[in-house]
Amino acid sequence: MKYLVRDKLLAIGDDYWIEDEDGRHAFLVDGKVLRLREKLELKDPDGQILITLREKLFAFRDAMTLERDERRLAVIRRKRFSLLRNHFRVTLVEGTELDVSGRVLDREFKVEYEGELLALVSRQWYRLRETYAVDVVREDADAALLIAVAVCVIRMAEKERDGDGADEP
């Protein structure tokens, strides 16, 4: 199932809908502005919070946490010792690790578990520059989690780019 995200609406404090491939509202991203860190809530169409995305405070390296039902679900960090600049690791609370790699700022990357593709993020399906898709490949995968991962790694990559002025390869 493909989910459409419109990039130009990703400002902190803004709310925006993520639609399924049939144009129906699938998830609402509710942006919250906090003094010390940012917080986003991924909600279902009825307004129920599915996943909370938080910038981690006082982390040695940039990190974001994902929470479900006010309990930590995962931590996302840039992968250490990677030859690829755009390589992130998602560590789920039970120890499972997801691998995120590709051209994050170009919205061309994948999310894998032990080499198996779970989701593909790409702009190639859409001519509109501000639109990209999160294609959840496995039917049994947690779409909300994979969308939250995509939103987090893009935010982290943009923050790093804006902070140090470096461009992606």
Side-chain angles (χ1 to χ4, degrees), residues 10-39:
L10 290 178
I12 299 297
D14 285 347
D15 299 345
Y16 61 94
W17 284 100
I18 295 174
E19 299 171 350
D20 66 17
E21 57 194 335
D22 296 322
R24 294 181 303 242
H25 289 169
F27 301 100
L28 174 67
V29 177
D30 185 0
K32 306 289 184 186
V33 178
L34 301 176
R35 289 184 185 171
L36 297 175
R37 61 182 177 172
E38 68 182 63
K39 172 184 167 183

Side-chain angles (χ1 to χ4, degrees), residues 25 77 93 116 143:
H25 289 169
R77 289 188 172 92
V93 72
E116 181 182 354

